[in-house]
Amino acid sequence: MSIEERPAGAGPSGASANGAPPLIEVRNLVKHFPITRGIVFQKQIGAVKAVDDISFEVRRGETLGIVGETGCGKSTTAKLLVRLLDPTSGQIVFDGQDVGAANKDELKALHREMQMVFQDPYSSLNPRKTVGSIISEPFAIHGLLKESGERRKRVQELMDRVGLNPEHFNRYPHEFSGGQRQRIGVARAIALEPKLLVADEPVSALDVSIQAQVLNLLRGLQREMGLTLIFIAHDLSVVRHMCDRVAVMYLGKVVEVAPSDELYSFPRHPYTGALLSAVPVARPHGGRRRDRQLLTGDVPSPANPPRACRFHTRCPKAQEVCSQEEPLLELKSGHDLAACHFPLTEAEVRLRLPTGLSGTAASTNAHGTGQIADQSSSSSST
Amino acid sequence: MSVGISDFSLEEAEAETGAVELVSGEIAARSPWELFLRRFREDKFAIAGLAFLLVVILAAIFAPLVCSLVGAPGPYRADQNALDIFGQPTGPSSAHLFGVDQIGRDVFSRVIYGARVSLIVALVSCVLTSAIGVVCGLLAGYYRGWVDTVISRTVDAFLAIPYLLLAIGLASACSFGNGCVGGLIKPGIPVVVAVITFTSWTYPARIIRGQVLSLREKEFVDASRSLGASDFRIVFKELLPNLTAPIVVFATTFLPQAILYESALSFLGVGVQPPTASWGQMIADASNNINTQWWYMLFPGLALLFTVLAFNFVGDAMTDALNPRSKRA
């Protein structure tokens, strides 16, 4: 499958090398959804801590992946970034401008710069509008290309660019397949030539064969338009294919941020280790036996998360201190930031991921090798 | 849907419209409006209904002309000669197509003239009711919070007002002399429309609010917001087009209701005053002697029945035709 191919020239080092300020800086971002009781006189009795004090930055032109289980706050983060939700506290600085503090007009201007591709291609397109009017909506909202002939020409160019037949502009969304609908969503998102594209699980509703096409479309557009991409997913192999760096979230916290090659070969946070060891291996008998690290129990409720390290209730390495003191997101090795008192050691990673560690020490050049190649080499070496 | 149309209907349609737009020399996909017309035309009942409504509307507008063409004496002339020797009304005859009523007025003329009142009341109150209800429902459903609380509680309060009681109250208070509130409220078409609207806008408001509550959670609303769309744009350009089905259904079921409301109100004395004819009033009058003078009930009744049916057919076809997912094309 072409998912395993990584087009060259999008390595993590390339993005981090230039000294330009990051496109987006997220500082101590918090989003709590209040839980209320009562009908007329509502009383807040608690809060779902969907996103709880996260900080990260996205460099210009890079692809940042955000992964995590359902309910860990990935989509909330995405919606906060484009301010579909108002943050409870914290800052999102986009290109020097605070997104959370922007007023109505500033926000409208900001929305020209950042766009979102949605998860569900079935509900993200208005069923009563033609594809043409859906894709030209950005122009209508921002009062661009006032002449309808001009607008239609641009719409057809966009449709052609994302791989749709430009003659279909008068069709309705339901006449298209899931993959085509997602292309319509992408065309709408790139219509204003934004700097940032936030893709919230853009392929999780699609067939596997279609996923690769849409992913390659996104990569191609990124290269052509110099887009910065925030890519949210729960499919780890998709993220590896797409992303320069990956942030792992658990219960509203970012637990690890690392360049994707480092993360996939040498995860430091036990949660990341568990996620990666749950990925099915293509050749279960060909590779070395591995001890899958299975997490027990459920994700705790975000309304009442565990104290200190949120993962300590399910962590195989948890000790006393993990429930007392919250670990900070710190540099553990290479470029790998992890929030853990007892990060995984090489031996532990080897047990969990027989395919990993092949190029840990010098992981900067590791992005040429795919997962399957890694596995065969490690199995032959043992 | 341009797929699956037989060549025959395609050619036929193009010959008929003669205005299929061409883009760069190729056949352009059909615009939503063309699709709507095409689907609507498929429905023979709707076409018949539309034709009938057109006839009724034209007859109402040109009532004097129609009457003189047929040779009917007009709605107000009480012709003693049309009564039989016992002073009873006579049935349909060449002089009076639909017979005459108790005091010798020509029923045909009264049915034609009565269409004016019935149609005006039905259309105006239907438009007002739908407009007020839809806007209130949209706002309540979209903004939720205190806006929703205020609108929904107001709706509840209005639902508690029985419209007949209100009408009886108005009738007893305002049907004498100069009316009440300095002549502002006195029996007539405006009061009928006001009473109907006042007591009915709550129904579309509730329907629309419920629909909007579920629609606003769809991702296309988020998508529109993330493009920078204003609330106004989202409500009226994104949500409203998705509400055509419930609105048209409400409107077409409400139109006949409004005609009947008008008759009830006229019967109570709040509506149009005699000698002005309205279908409702004629039916109400005729109910006293239905046993002997069937024609006085039958003809306004048939007019009402067919008009209501026609509205229903047209509304039904419109809902289908406006739905892009409809299979009929």
Side-chain angles (χ1 to χ4, degrees):
Chain A
M1 199 174 56
S2 64
I3 281 190
E4 298 302 338
E5 298 166 11
R6 281 182 64 101
S13 48
S16 56
N18 62 35
L23 183 67
I24 270 214
E25 256 187 285
V26 175
R27 294 189 207 122
N28 307 103
L29 187 65
V30 176
K31 179 65 188 178
H32 291 179
F33 293 102
I35 307 170
T36 55
R37 183 173 283 167
I39 297 162
V40 181
F41 302 102
Q42 293 193 333
K43 201 174 82 182
Q44 187 174 342
I45 55 164
V48 173
K49 295 170 177 122
V51 171
D52 205 6
D53 194 4
I54 64 170
S55 302
F56 61 86
E57 57 180 48
V58 188
R59 297 164 199 146
R60 281 164 210 277
E62 80 165 343
T63 304
L64 176 76
I66 301 181
V67 293
E69 279 170 275
T70 305
C72 70
K74 304 179 301 256
S75 291
T76 308
T77 308
K79 287 185 174 177
L80 286 167
L81 285 175
V82 298
R83 196 143 159 223
L84 283 176
L85 292 171
D86 292 328
T88 307
S89 69
Q91 269 191 317
I92 302 163
V93 181
F94 177 84
D95 220 0
Q97 196 180 356
D98 189 346
V99 176
N103 64 30
K104 232 178 173 177
D105 292 336
E106 289 168 342
L107 203 59
K108 194 170 172 183
L110 268 174
H111 277 139
R112 284 185 68 168
E113 309 277 312
M114 44 201 212
Q115 279 303 317
M116 191 156 170
V117 176
F118 290 85
Q119 175 175 8
D120 182 357
Y122 292 90
S123 90
S124 65
L125 305 177
N126 192 336
R128 293 284 173 147
K129 293 181 125 186
T130 60
V131 172
S133 67
I134 287 173
I135 299 176
S136 65
E137 205 190 338
F139 305 126
I141 289 171
H142 292 275
L144 304 168
L145 305 177
K146 290 248 168 68
E147 278 174 53
S148 74
E150 212 181 339
R151 197 174 274 179
R152 181 154 84 193
K153 195 167 151 253
R154 181 80 186 107
V155 166
Q156 291 185 316
E157 279 167 21
L158 282 165
M159 291 179 74
D160 190 40
R161 178 63 200 86
V162 298
L164 293 165
N165 184 343
E167 281 166 29
H168 292 169
F169 69 97
N170 250 348
R171 292 200 178 175
Y172 285 93
H174 73 271
E175 295 171 65
F176 293 86
S177 69
Q180 285 174 317
R181 288 166 145 252
Q182 202 55 298
R183 287 170 193 270
I184 298 168
V186 171
R188 172 175 61 187
I190 62 167
L192 295 173
E193 297 178 4
K195 289 180 185 158
L196 174 74
L197 197 62
V198 180
D200 182 8
E201 307 211 20
V203 296
S204 57
L206 304 178
D207 273 3
V208 177
S209 57
I210 308 297
Q211 283 188 2
Q213 294 174 12
V214 173
L215 292 176
N216 289 334
L217 170 69
L218 283 173
R219 285 200 75 100
L221 288 171
Q222 181 184 27
R223 227 170 338 186
E224 265 174 50
M225 304 175 61
L227 283 170
T228 305
L229 193 61
I230 293 181
F231 188 87
I232 293 168
H234 53 239
D235 185 330
L236 292 163
S237 51
V238 166
V239 169
R240 183 173 199 176
H241 170 66
M242 290 292 291
C243 302
D244 304 317
R245 287 194 309 141
V246 179
V248 181
M249 286 186 73
Y250 181 76
L251 261 186
K253 289 275 190 193
V254 171
V255 294
E256 187 164 5
V257 188
S260 53
D261 298 306
E262 277 185 55
L263 187 96
Y264 279 85
S265 54
F266 190 21
R268 301 307 310 269
H269 198 283
Y271 179 61
T272 317
L275 281 184
L276 291 178
S277 82
V279 174
V281 177
R283 295 168 58 200
H285 302 298
R288 214 184 60 190
R289 200 184 71 82
R290 60 175 184 169
D291 288 340
R292 289 216 296 157
Q293 177 202 347
L294 297 174
L295 294 179
T296 52
D298 286 327
V299 183
S301 161
N304 183 23
R307 271 164 45 79
C309 176
R310 295 197 166 176
F311 189 54
H312 81 255
T313 51
R314 302 168 77 195
C315 181
K317 296 188 73 177
Q319 295 186 21
E320 188 72 26
V321 62
C322 296
S323 58
Q324 310 282 327
E325 228 176 277
E326 185 167 341
L328 299 172
L329 200 59
E330 294 167 329
L331 201 62
K332 297 295 182 199
S333 59
H335 298 96
D336 193 325
L337 296 165
C340 185
H341 292 301
F342 307 102
L344 295 177
T345 61
E346 272 189 45
E348 283 167 332
V349 171
R350 202 164 268 133
L351 267 179
R352 288 166 170 80
L353 307 170
T355 61
L357 277 179
S358 52
T360 318
S363 62
T364 41
N365 64 353
H367 60 263
T369 50
Q371 212 170 10
I372 293 170
D374 274 357
Q375 190 184 351
S376 55
S377 66
S378 66
S379 63
S380 61
S381 66
T382 43
Chain B
M1 251 173 302
S2 53
V3 235
I5 296 171
S6 69
D7 289 359
F8 169 69
S9 69
L10 192 102
E11 280 162 23
E12 182 192 50
E14 271 164 27
E16 272 171 30
T17 55
V20 176
E21 217 184 336
L22 297 181
V23 173
S24 62
E26 292 164 43
I27 296 175
R30 287 181 195 88
S31 74
W33 175 240
E34 285 167 344
L35 271 178
F36 169 76
L37 284 181
R38 175 178 277 278
R39 290 214 189 96
F40 192 86
R41 270 204 305 260
E42 293 281 301
D43 195 329
K44 298 288 175 265
F45 281 105
I47 295 298
L50 201 62
F52 180 79
L53 287 178
L54 220 64
V55 168
V56 172
I57 289 168
L58 287 176
I61 294 172
F62 301 108
L65 187 67
V66 174
C67 286
S68 66
L69 277 180
V70 180
Y76 306 123
R77 226 189 95 209
D79 184 4
Q80 292 296 321
N81 298 328
L83 303 176
D84 65 10
I85 49 166
F86 304 107
Q88 292 297 312
T90 51
S93 62
S94 59
H96 302 283
L97 280 179
F98 291 177
V100 295
D101 71 357
Q102 288 288 337
I103 51 174
R105 290 176 299 195
D106 181 52
V107 173
F108 178 82
S109 310
R110 289 184 71 75
V111 168
I112 299 290
Y113 275 84
R116 291 179 159 184
V117 174
S118 295
L119 286 179
I120 286 175
V121 168
L123 290 173
V124 174
S125 59
C126 183
V127 167
L128 282 179
T129 303
S130 309
I132 296 173
V134 166
V135 169
C136 288
L138 277 169
L139 295 180
Y142 182 71
Y143 285 107
R144 297 193 299 189
W146 67 266
V147 180
D148 185 22
T149 310
V150 169
I151 293 176
S152 294
R153 294 296 85 79
T154 314
V155 165
D156 290 346
F158 270 76
L159 280 173
I161 302 173
Y163 99 103
L164 273 179
L165 221 54
L166 178 74
I168 292 169
L170 278 176
S172 58
C174 305
S175 53
F176 306 106
N178 230 355
C180 26
V181 205
L184 197 66
I185 305 178
K186 55 184 171 191
I189 294 178
V191 170
V192 173
V193 170
V195 167
I196 294 175
T197 308
F198 191 76
T199 50
S200 307
W201 66 273
T202 50
Y203 297 100
R206 284 203 148 180
I207 298 168
I208 297 301
R209 173 182 171 271
Q211 298 274 328
V212 172
L213 280 180
S214 81
L215 270 181
R216 74 190 296 284
E217 301 299 329
K218 295 271 169 100
E219 274 185 343
F220 68 79
V221 175
D222 270 348
S224 197
R225 271 204 292 153
S226 77
L227 288 166
S230 60
D231 285 348
F232 182 86
R233 190 188 165 87
I234 292 174
V235 167
F236 290 101
K237 294 238 164 145
E238 297 290 326
L239 297 180
L240 193 56
N242 282 286
L243 297 168
T244 42
I247 293 171
V248 171
V249 167
F250 170 79
T252 48
T253 50
F254 184 73
L255 272 168
Q257 252 181 7
I259 294 179
L260 298 176
Y261 280 174
E262 182 272 322
S263 63
L265 291 173
S266 297
F267 181 71
L268 288 170
V270 196
V272 291
Q273 296 301 292
T276 315
S278 88
W279 293 346
Q281 209 185 31
M282 292 167 80
I283 296 170
D285 278 357
S287 61
N288 296 325
N289 27 18
I290 172 82
N291 288 330
T292 46
Q293 285 110 43
W294 51 269
W295 55 89
Y296 193 27
M297 173 75 93
L298 180 71
F299 293 110
L302 282 181
L304 183 63
L305 174 73
F306 284 126
T307 309
V308 167
L309 260 182
F311 272 125
N312 273 328
F313 285 146
V314 172
D316 217 31
M318 270 175 70
T319 346
D320 282 350
L322 284 170
N323 182 1
R325 305 193 75 116
S326 143
K327 290 282 175 283
R328 276 190 277 168

